[in-house]
Amino acid sequence: MYRRDVLDNGITVLSEAAPHVGSASLGFWIHSGSRWETEAEAGISHCLEHMVFKGTERRSARDIAEQLDSVGGHLNAFTDKEATCYYARVLGEHLPLAFDVLSDMLLHSVFAPEELELEKNVILEEIKQHEDDPEGLVHDLFARELWPDHPLGRPVIGSPETVAALTRDMLLRYTQDWYAPNRIVVAAAGNLHSDQILELVGIAFGELKPGDQESHLSPPVVAGGTVRQSREIEQMNLCYGFAGLPQTSPRRYALACMDVAFGGGMSSRLFQEIREKRGLAYSIGSYFMGYHDSGQYTIYAGTSPETEEEVLAVLREEAERLCQDGLTAEELRRAQNQIKGSMLMDLESMSSRMSRLGKTELYFGRVVDVDEVVAEIEAVTLDAVTAVARQVLHGEAVLAAIGPPEESEFEESAPNG
């Protein structure tokens, strides 16, 4: 069983004790990500995540790196479009140390100017690495084409220009605005005592004042279209897809079942038709992502330039067949079992349990019970899948492609003679 407490200043504390395991996972979830950045701030959430590891008033960057390593623990963080999470995994006996390190990083980071300049260089190298990975980059290209001129369409990492322009004052102002206690969720799962977690949070955060930053959300306007980039590579990397559903949509469980059956695994229609039957691609699959008021549904394929049109034709044919005929009863049953099995096996990990607590609190304002999710998955009908397929797959389509230059590009640039 989990426990939920809310301090007077708004910070939410979630804990799930599992005394039968030896480890515990702790996460500080910040309801802040690249979605709330201005165009000039693009990448600041991600940069801030880097900078809290670079030293506090009590700890150097090396101290932060060594203290959990010295007890066999693990410390890390990630930034997403609508959340930032700082997390640790340790033996239960070392949970107070993990809490002290994480809270110190969030509350007392110094953001030394010289460290900021060094870390901006690190992030610029990270951007270059990402730019050199067409298989990953094509997903950013897809989001930008789906939601042009909206923060959800921008990469979380920012651009070289915006990252280079970030200053210490910008980081301090952003922290003050978006790292307020009423935007923080502390989640913990594993070998722990809930009273101890609540006490630690109260001591570290209890005196902080709630923030007054309004988190107005402007829904993105969906645009269809095609965007292509040429690279000196051998394979075409394709993202083909549509706007999806918000994270809180009542149809999200039907979409999950549709996704698994359509492109979510080795037994899916796309995998069987495109890879197994036709041998057109090594990588083929689909996924959906939900945000507060929007979402995306994306199919990725890696194929040869010569077979790109055939792959896209099969994708469109299979999508239309799904919209017209729906799934079979066996496909739906298999998808339901896959989703339930994956979710329940994930619960054997304390890190997954902690993440589930934090994510559901951010999106639903409560912890969504596992039994509730299982019941919703089991209640999905064939008609519900067909309806959500028509809603999503009949929307404005977006195609993003990164691959080798076409022959005409070489011909145009070839010298005369």
Side-chain angles (χ1 to χ4, degrees):
M1 287 292 294
Y2 68 88
R3 174 173 163 179
R4 182 180 186 272
D5 296 279
V6 182
L7 274 60
D8 290 341
N9 60 9
I11 191 168
T12 301
V13 185
L14 304 168
S15 57
E16 184 176 10
H20 59 283
V21 301
S23 67
S25 288
L26 173 68
F28 286 49
W29 294 79
I30 318 298
H31 200 182
S32 170
S34 61
R35 171 156 199 180
W36 287 279
E37 298 169 350
T38 65
E39 190 170 351
E41 293 173 332
I44 193 171
S45 301
H46 175 257
C47 181
L48 182 57
E49 172 222 312
H50 277 235
M51 284 302 298
V52 300
F53 285 84
K54 306 309 292 182
T56 71
E57 297 167 5
R58 293 194 287 129
R59 292 179 170 93
S60 66
R62 187 180 185 91
D63 291 335
I64 291 172
E66 288 181 346
Q67 287 196 337
L68 291 193
D69 282 355
S70 68
V71 296
H74 175 71
L75 179 68
N76 212 331
F78 66 84
T79 306
D80 209 335
K81 294 189 177 183
E82 293 187 332
T84 303
C85 180
Y86 303 88
Y87 61 94
R89 183 170 181 262
V90 292
L91 295 176
E93 63 193 272
H94 301 304
L95 193 56
L97 172 63
F99 186 94
D100 186 52
V101 173
L102 282 172
S103 60
D104 188 31
M105 291 163 58
L106 259 66
L107 296 172
H108 304 297
S109 286
V110 294
F111 303 140
E114 63 275 13
E115 291 288 353
L116 175 58
E117 292 307 310
L118 290 174
E119 203 59 29
K120 287 197 296 186
N121 288 335
V122 171
I123 295 171
L124 291 174
E125 292 302 319
E126 187 179 357
I127 292 174
K128 292 175 186 177
Q129 184 181 49
H130 184 58
E131 290 283 341
D132 285 343
D133 174 25
E135 186 175 348
L137 185 63
V138 71
H139 298 272
D140 284 347
L141 204 62
F142 173 84
R144 190 179 304 133
E145 191 71 8
L146 180 68
W147 295 314
D149 304 318
H150 191 277
L152 284 177
R154 296 197 298 254
V156 172
I157 200 170
S159 70
E161 294 76 22
T162 58
V163 170
L166 294 176
T167 66
R168 181 175 186 270
D169 285 344
M170 292 172 69
L171 292 182
L172 291 171
R173 185 169 59 251
Y174 192 84
T175 304
Q176 183 177 4
D177 287 343
W178 298 107
Y179 277 49
N182 52 311
R183 300 186 68 83
I184 297 175
V185 173
V186 177
N191 192 330
L192 56 83
H193 298 285
S194 295
D195 287 339
Q196 180 189 41
I197 299 296
L198 185 60
E199 180 182 6
L200 290 170
V201 175
I203 293 171
F205 294 92
E207 298 302 316
L208 296 181
K209 303 298 182 185
D212 56 6
Q213 187 75 9
E214 295 291 335
S215 55
H216 295 299
L217 294 177
S218 173
V221 177
V222 177
T226 299
V227 58
R228 293 180 177 274
Q229 283 189 7
S230 296
R231 297 289 182 91
E232 294 296 337
I233 54 178
E234 297 296 324
Q235 191 176 55
M236 291 297 301
N237 296 271
L238 308 173
C239 275
Y240 178 77
F242 311 84
L245 300 178
Q247 183 71 29
T248 55
S249 169
R251 287 186 163 186
R252 65 189 181 279
Y253 299 110
L255 180 60
C257 291
M258 183 204 89
D259 175 58
V260 168
F262 187 55
M266 292 177 63
S267 64
S268 68
R269 290 185 178 185
L270 293 181
F271 191 94
Q272 288 296 314
E273 186 68 24
I274 291 178
R275 173 169 164 160
E276 299 296 277
K277 181 178 177 180
R278 303 178 186 239
L280 295 174
Y282 173 73
S283 297
I284 176 68
S286 63
Y287 65 91
F288 66 97
M289 298 182 67
Y291 303 106
H292 279 289
D293 54 3
S294 52
Q296 67 181 74
Y297 187 76
T298 312
I299 303 160
Y300 169 80
T303 190
S304 297
E306 298 78 20
T307 53
E308 175 192 351
E309 290 304 319
E310 185 178 358
V311 168
L312 289 173
V314 174
L315 292 181
R316 295 181 178 113
E317 289 168 6
E318 290 297 325
E320 189 55 33
R321 183 165 74 91
L322 178 60
C323 290
Q324 294 301 318
D325 303 331
L327 299 180
T328 66
E330 172 59 23
E331 284 178 312
L332 177 57
R333 183 196 64 80
R334 190 166 58 238
Q336 290 168 321
N337 288 338
Q338 282 183 256
I339 295 169
K340 290 187 297 182
S342 176
M343 179 181 66
L344 294 175
M345 286 189 287
D346 277 349
L347 294 180
E348 296 179 2
S349 161
M350 294 303 104
S351 296
S352 294
R353 284 179 176 267
M354 179 277 292
S355 294
R356 188 173 176 280
L357 294 176
K359 288 178 181 178
T360 57
E361 177 66 31
L362 288 183
Y363 281 103
F364 299 93
R366 65 184 180 95
V367 176
V368 180
D369 190 76
V370 173
D371 291 339
E372 178 184 339
V373 178
V374 170
E376 292 281 5
I377 291 296
E378 291 178 340
V380 172
T381 65
L382 291 170
D383 287 343
V385 173
T386 302
V388 80
R390 291 172 178 171
Q391 177 183 349
V392 173
L393 302 180
H394 279 167
E396 289 285 345
V398 169
L399 171 64
I402 300 179
E406 297 179 6
E407 290 185 10
S408 59
E409 294 182 49
F410 287 115
E411 292 169 1
E412 290 172 3
S413 60
N416 295 325

